[in-house]
Amino acid sequence: MSSPAATLGTAGAVTTAGVLRSLNVGLPRDVAWHGRTVHTAVWKRPVDGPRPVRRLNIDGDGQGDLAGHGGEQRAVFVYQLGSYRYWRAALGRDDLEPGIFGENFTVEGLADDEVCIGDRYQIGDAVFEVTQPRVTCYRVGIRLDDPQMPARLVAEHRPGFYFRVLAEGAVQAGDDIVKVGSGPEGMTIAEIDALLYLPGRSRHQVARALRIPALSPGWRSSFQQILEQKSGGGNAGLVAAAPPPAWPGFRPLAVARIEPETPTISSIYLADPGGAALPAALPGQFLTLRLRPDATGQPVLRNYSLSGAPGTGQYRISVKREPHGAGSGFLHARVRVGDELEVGAPRGTFTLRPGPAPVLLISAGVGATPVLAMLHALAAEGSSRTIWWLHGARTPADEAFAAESRALVAGLPGARRLVCLSQPAPGDNVDDQYSGGRLAGPVLSALDLPRHAEAYICGPDRFMADISAALVALGIDAGRIHTEIFGASPAQTPGIAATPVRPPHQPAGEPGTGPLVSFARSALATRWDPSHGSLLDLAEACDVPVRWSCRTGVCHNCQTTVVAGTVRYSPEPVDPPADGTVLICCAQPGEDLTLDL
Ligand SMILES: Cc1cc2nc3c(=O)[nH]c(=O)nc-3n(C[C@H](O)[C@H](O)[C@H](O)COP(=O)(O)OP(=O)(O)OC[C@H]3O[C@@H](n4cnc5c(N)ncnc54)[C@H](O)[C@@H]3O)c2cc1C
Ligand code: FES
């Protein structure tokens, strides 16, 4: 047994707090689950004798999903025998062997409502600090063969917690756990976990949590987002927040003006048919249009970013005509001034963040639309921020909004503009606002861009990936780089082995007879059948790209914008999502439904 670390210099009495009963390790392996392969290290088995604990892992241990569960802040996961006793009774199970909750240390003592973030413990030769509660994830549900476990661990205040390793050393089952320091603020694991995941959080408590230096950066940034959240309900600590939509579903808007911008892009101005001012959108948001391009009257849903100045009482969208494009072809060829279109309220979280930070507005082709709205907003407020308008076009004729962006930049004291022409003709580079060649990394590195800038990028997928990587290489924090995808967002399915990507399609089997569920970005509509269980399951059956983690209404990763329609929940989410959104992992359609997926 070890002696207390008297030399640590941390505050608080040195006391024996518990005993390490079982030391468990496991390396990632592939597990079959619902017809898919999950790469996971949630299977841990007890080991005898001393084991070195290092900065990132115990020897022989690993994590399948390093981004979700690994790293210095989450080197060792701890779960308590007190919670084992609770779950044995609550679940009526006698098969809960050590390690089944995915923990490395099964401990006597150290209850979630006693251990505080920042507390320090010596176990064997190693010293640890408490950094955060468990990461809510579906894999513990797989391990326990009970999909509700991720939600129950949170709702019943028994998440367990992570240690980071302050001093590496050997530990073994049977070691005493000696408390050698107390975290400031005295906030317990159970309190901190509830503060992020459960409703009824107080700003005062969130501010207290932010005063604990040992709290892991991920949780710190979630609490920072909660403090900065202004409106819209939902949990800004878990997903980006936007204000609630200005109206439910679709409403008719009249086409007030149509202006060509380039040979392939035209702007369409939309107004209230009765002349009322339309609600202001946030710069960067988009509209969903329900178009009926052919004689059958079958609707197609298409999103278009607002490209005009926010707050003018009208909306402007700018549409590129795609060859054979159903929606853009209809808007270009058939829509006339005075026509009415069915339009969903402005939505989206790709919006200009207020504050003094420099702003990089980077776009290619028709991707200029959302960042142009941001440039308008900066001009309207007479911003003194450092601003770069960086745009890629093939030729001067292809450059949309050339005169408009030039005039806006000229009116802003801290703004500069560079347009890269990938196919210039001699004489096309008319002044120092133009250069020949593609807008790419080498151009950015020559510009001495401010490292603390917020960057907003919109254009083809490849362009956004290259520009994002170039900005990170220049030292800009990835969290400050925001992108808008003019299509379905990429799937985020933690630990699921990659399979060939199929375009969205109708689900296998007999068509459903329930409400019509439309996945707007994926251009797919299908009828609900209760056998799918949840909207997430239905989307997956259609290969519609989705994002999720817990699958039980806790983590909010699956939060999706509802363009029109209503849902019901089974099970109820632990904390409701933002107004105008749905947690698709535990929701079913209440009526015909349009989702921004
Ligand atoms: C958030 C968001 C914001 C957006 N903002 C804008 C914007 O500001 N401006 C804008 O222009 N777009 C924008 N889009 C894209 C827009 O929603 C549409 O996807 C786009 O207009 C193409 O739709 P479509 O109906 O014309 O093409 P679709 O009919 O959906 O066709 C898609 C592609 O397939 C090709 N295709 C279709 N049929 C055939 C065929 N028979 N043979 C060969 N090829 C074919 C088309 O050329 C096209 O490239 C945005 C999308 C999102 C998600
Ligand atoms: S996946 Fe976690 S709330 Fe839906």
Side-chain angles (χ1 to χ4, degrees), residues 286 302-305 318-320 322-329 366 369 484-487 521:
F286 63 87
R302 296 290 182 267
N303 292 341
Y304 292 100
S305 298
S318 305
V319 179
K320 179 178 178 205
E322 300 289 351
H324 312 288
S328 62
V366 76
T369 50
E484 180 72 312
I485 298 169
F486 276 7
R521 291 184 186 228

Side-chain angles (χ1 to χ4, degrees), residues 521-544:
R521 291 184 186 228
S522 304
L524 183 82
T526 187
R527 291 225 166 256
W528 170 253
D529 185 286
S531 64
H532 290 296
S534 70
L535 288 163
L536 172 58
D537 293 327
L538 174 63
E540 287 178 328
C542 301
D543 278 307
V544 167

